[in-house]
Structure formats: structure tokens, C-alpha cells
Amino acid sequence: MKIESPQYQNDPFTGEKNHCIKATINGMTAFVPTDPDNSDYAEILRQVDAGTLTIADAD
Amino acid sequence: MSKAAELAALIGSGQAQGNKNLIINGAMNVAQRGTTSSITSGTGNFGPDRFRFQINDLGTWELSQSTTVPSGQGFSNSLKLNCTTADTSVAAASYLVLQQRIEGQNLQQLKWGTSSAEKLTWSFWIRSTKTGTISIEFQHKNSSSAYYNRGSTFTIDSSNTWEKKTISVPANTAQNIINDNSDGLYVTFWLTAGSNWTGGTFNTSAYVTGGAANTRVSSSIVNHADSTSNEIYLTGVQLEIGDVATAFEHEDIGTTLAKCQRYYFQYGPHPSVATFRHFNPAYANDCYCSAVQSFPVEMRAVPTVAYSAITYQNADNWGTSSGERNQILTYSMSTSATVISGAYIAGNGTDYAYANAEL
């Protein structure tokens, strides 16, 4: 899975911080919830742990 | 055993009852993603739903839903793997894997981790250009999130000929299967693999955890990537309790589609109708246009939502609010106070969005 340019997003309606990660996944714009049950989020964390990916802070 | 006694035994074991197949979309009738070409690396669900293809450094492949099926068996579709760029040299880390992952909470009837643990039978129809050994693996996760695996093999006897294979899956009386919505069991075809996976003594005798990676795959397997003539077709995949491969359980398309949509749902591409829309009437600059997008079934987990292209109408900055398993709120920012604003997936036959909660 090719994950590029991940950045945390804040929820504009609830105010929840880092509720998801915006990234390009296999060429598509994706919004990955920070939910441990979500396999894309697990893969992002795996790549972060491996030192091959960094998640930018929310704007 | 008489036919009557055999039937009584099957009813007693539960095998003759409906919903016996633990595999979803075993007849390959649902393929929301369509055909995926030029797969060279990585992991993903690309062709018929629920089947996961993993490749590393073994040519280029196309994954699609095919109408080539074994005759007289009642199937309409198969999964087709087509090698489009060959690789005749299998590097140590190379692999070519096809797999289905099953939720742990759908497997508790197996009673693994107890003395009453049920054995399984895995059956399928396969047609391959290459003859020879294919390695398979059963891997399950217990309630402590430790993975246990053991392998087996089968043989493609004749090139480009449909063959029905039946594999016995031993029970694990020592370790249970996690009872939640995560990955409880993997059933895996190791089509080709390098020495990182084949270099040790192939483990076929027991479920083990923490074993060396090079014991997971048989060293007898062949290289399915060595020619662009190579194709593999698969259908009629069934995993059921017991030690008998019963007739494939054909399922109505609505039931199979709903099962698949628990893991993946796609909006479009539609040739003419826009989808995934949200609009607000004229209100103000920089206000949110938003709408709740409901999923057809509750998904396994809060899904990733992605799009190939968004079409804006007097708006920009598409995003998602906090989601649930059955719905998510999408939004964009209005750029005009005087006209309707919003965003959508265009009905142009190309653009699409998806919600993904695959294992």
C-alpha cells in the first residue's frame, strides 16, 4: 500500500482533534479514521513505527 | 454408509444447513472494484470482493472477474490472475499471495481452543497454466492477539484445466480464535515465494506461533510469474465445518453483496448519475455544505473514505467529519454566498469514491 503525504485533520463540527488522517493512498485522496479497527490506520501506524512515514500536524 | 445415514450425519454436524460457507463471495459473483491492471507491488483487494492479493517483486499482474468457469457446476464467474510482465528470477523476499481474511466473531462455532474444536474442509475449483505444487497456509489469531499458523500443499496436475481441490484444515484444540471484529483466520494461497519463506523446514505438523518465516511455505512451489502466458482462475471457494467437502453453497447475489459491503462499498463510477453528493442553498461564504452519507450495511469498522476525483460547485476543501460504522458526514466549504454550493462524484463513467473497512 502506497501512502503519501499523511496529515492529521480536526473535525470542524465536533472540534475533535486528529479525528482522521488525510493522505493519498494508492493515488486516491483518502480520509482514514484514527480508529484502531481500521486496517488503513493500522498500516499507517506500522509505517510510522518503521520510520518510513511521518504524519504532519493538522492545520 | 448408506445415503440416508450420510445425510443424517451431515445434518447432525451442521454441514447440510444453510450459511455453511465461511468464505464470503466464494463464487466470485461480486466485484465492486472491477478489473485492476498493472499490479506490481503491495497489498490490496483488487478484483472480486474479499479476496486480497499481495505481491512483492514478481512481475506485473492483472486481477479481474472472469466468466471462465468449470462447466456443469453452476458457476458464472471466477477470479482471474493474469501475468502481464514476467519475472523468471524469484528473489529471496519475493512472494505472490492470494488470501481471504475472516472475522474472528464469525468463527466462534469452531470452538478452537477446546477439546471440541472443529476441523474444517476447504474446497475450490482452480485452473492454472503452470502445473506443480501450490503452498497453502491457515493462520489464526487467538484472544491474546498471537498468530498461529500451519501449512499444507496441493498440486495442479494439468495445465489450463479446471480441477477441484479439497484440503483438510486441522482444528487447533490448544488455542482459541479471537472473538471480535478483527482478523480471526487467514486462508492463504502462497502461489510463489522466495527463500525468505521457503528456506526452512516447511511446517505442516502443528499450529505454531513465532516460528521462522522460512518455514511457512513449501520449497516445492513453482514460479507462476515466469511467463506472460501464465493465468490462474479460481472459483467455488468454500470453507466448512467437518471433514467432507459438500456441494458448493450457491447464494443469491443480494446476500453476497451485502456481506461484501460490510467490508467495502463503492460509489460509482456511473456513466451518467452523480453520486456521493452534498449541497447547501445559498447562505454565506466559507460556510459548510454537508450531508450524511449512509452505508448500505453497517461496516466492520469505521471506514476509510476516499475518492478518485471530486467535482466542486462553488465550493472547495472536501473532507469528512467523525464517522460511524453505518454513516459518515462529508463536507466542503462554500465559496459563494449567492448560489447553491456543494460537491459530488461526477457521473462520467470514471470518477468514484469508496468506503473501505477490509481486514
Side-chain angles (χ1 to χ4, degrees):
Chain A
M1 180 184 296
K2 188 175 183 182
I3 301 169
E4 301 169 287
S5 308
Q7 183 185 27
Y8 283 112
Q9 306 286 302
N10 297 331
D11 190 325
F13 298 101
T14 66
E16 181 184 353
K17 303 291 186 188
N18 300 337
H19 83 287
C20 75
I21 297 169
K22 182 180 181 181
T24 302
I25 298 180
N26 295 335
M28 293 180 65
T29 303
F31 296 81
V32 181
T34 50
D35 177 343
D37 287 342
N38 182 287
S39 56
D40 293 325
Y41 181 57
E43 175 62 18
I44 288 172
L45 294 184
R46 189 193 66 77
Q47 294 189 22
V48 169
D49 286 345
T52 58
L53 194 65
T54 301
I55 308 171
D57 292 335
D59 290 331
Chain B
M1 183 184 291
S2 69
K3 288 295 180 188
E6 191 175 321
L7 179 60
L10 287 174
I11 291 171
S13 70
Q15 283 183 268
Q17 299 168 12
N19 209 27
K20 66 184 178 185
N21 192 358
L22 298 171
I23 297 290
I24 295 174
N25 198 29
M28 313 296 175
N29 288 331
V30 175
Q32 295 182 81
R33 299 166 180 83
T35 295
T36 305
S37 303
S38 303
I39 308 169
T40 57
S41 65
T43 297
N45 299 70
F46 297 111
D49 279 45
R50 299 297 296 122
F51 285 86
R52 177 185 175 97
F53 184 59
Q54 301 174 219
I55 178 174
N56 184 49
D57 190 22
L58 266 175
T60 305
W61 290 78
E62 179 182 83
L63 193 52
S64 62
Q65 183 188 49
S66 168
T67 56
T68 298
V69 294
S71 64
Q73 301 300 320
F75 296 109
S76 299
N77 296 293
S78 64
L79 179 154
K80 179 183 179 183
L81 275 166
N82 180 28
C83 181
T84 55
T85 303
D87 184 345
T88 57
S89 176
V90 182
S94 297
Y95 55 80
L96 199 61
V97 162
L98 187 65
Q99 177 183 81
Q100 184 159 135
R101 298 180 170 189
I102 304 171
E103 274 183 71
Q105 60 191 356
N106 288 341
L107 298 163
Q108 298 309 302
Q109 68 272 35
L110 304 186
K111 297 168 284 187
W112 284 19
T114 76
S115 59
S116 303
E118 302 273 8
K119 65 181 75 171
L120 297 165
T121 296
W122 189 21
S123 57
F124 48 86
W125 286 89
I126 190 167
R127 171 182 149 162
S128 168
T129 306
K130 292 279 291 187
T131 59
T133 301
I134 290 178
S135 198
I136 53 181
E137 183 180 51
F138 321 110
Q139 184 179 49
H140 76 95
K141 185 171 76 175
N142 72 3
S143 52
S144 300
S145 295
Y147 289 90
Y148 289 78
N149 63 279
R150 70 186 295 171
S152 185
T153 60
F154 69 93
T155 302
I156 301 292
D157 299 309
S158 302
S159 178
N160 294 324
T161 304
W162 281 105
E163 301 173 19
K164 185 175 183 181
K165 303 298 180 185
T166 300
I167 313 290
S168 294
V169 184
N172 190 345
T173 57
Q175 295 295 329
N176 64 11
I177 297 175
I178 193 166
N179 185 13
D180 64 13
N181 63 341
S182 68
D183 46 346
L185 177 68
Y186 301 179
V187 285
T188 303
F189 296 93
W190 285 87
L191 303 170
T192 304
S195 60
N196 285 2
W197 315 99
T198 65
T201 301
F202 184 36
N203 169 39
T204 60
S205 58
Y207 287 95
V208 298
T209 186
N214 67 7
T215 65
R216 294 176 62 180
V217 181
S218 168
S219 59
S220 300
I221 61 174
V222 296
N223 181 9
H224 285 270
D226 65 359
S227 169
T228 55
S229 298
N230 291 349
E231 297 173 341
I232 299 171
Y233 296 87
L234 181 71
T235 195
V237 185
Q238 182 157 279
L239 182 67
E240 59 190 308
I241 290 176
D243 51 13
V244 176
T246 63
F248 183 81
E249 183 179 50
H250 290 279
E251 191 172 63
D252 70 278
I253 187 69
T255 300
T256 306
L257 178 61
K259 288 180 179 178
C260 294
Q261 287 174 334
R262 176 172 171 79
Y263 304 90
Y264 181 88
F265 175 62
Q266 189 162 304
Y267 305 81
H270 193 281
S272 58
V273 178
T275 60
F276 215 41
R277 292 168 282 190
H278 61 243
F279 286 100
N280 272 4
Y283 181 64
N285 288 344
D286 297 331
C287 71
Y288 288 107
C289 323
S290 64
V292 170
Q293 313 286 348
S294 296
F295 307 130
V297 300
E298 180 169 294
M299 302 193 76
R300 181 192 65 82
V302 180
T304 297
V305 174
Y307 60 77
S308 61
I310 282 283
T311 300
Y312 291 109
Q313 184 170 320
N314 308 308
D316 56 21
N317 285 324
W318 194 95
T320 63
S321 179
S322 303
E324 301 292 339
R325 294 181 182 186
N326 60 353
Q327 64 180 33
I328 198 161
L329 187 143
T330 63
Y331 65 85
S332 58
M333 295 291 291
S334 168
T335 57
S336 172
T338 58
V339 292
I340 291 174
S341 306
Y344 56 93
I345 302 295
N348 57 12
T350 303
D351 297 349
Y352 68 101
Y354 67 72
N356 176 35
E358 293 280 5
L359 286 163

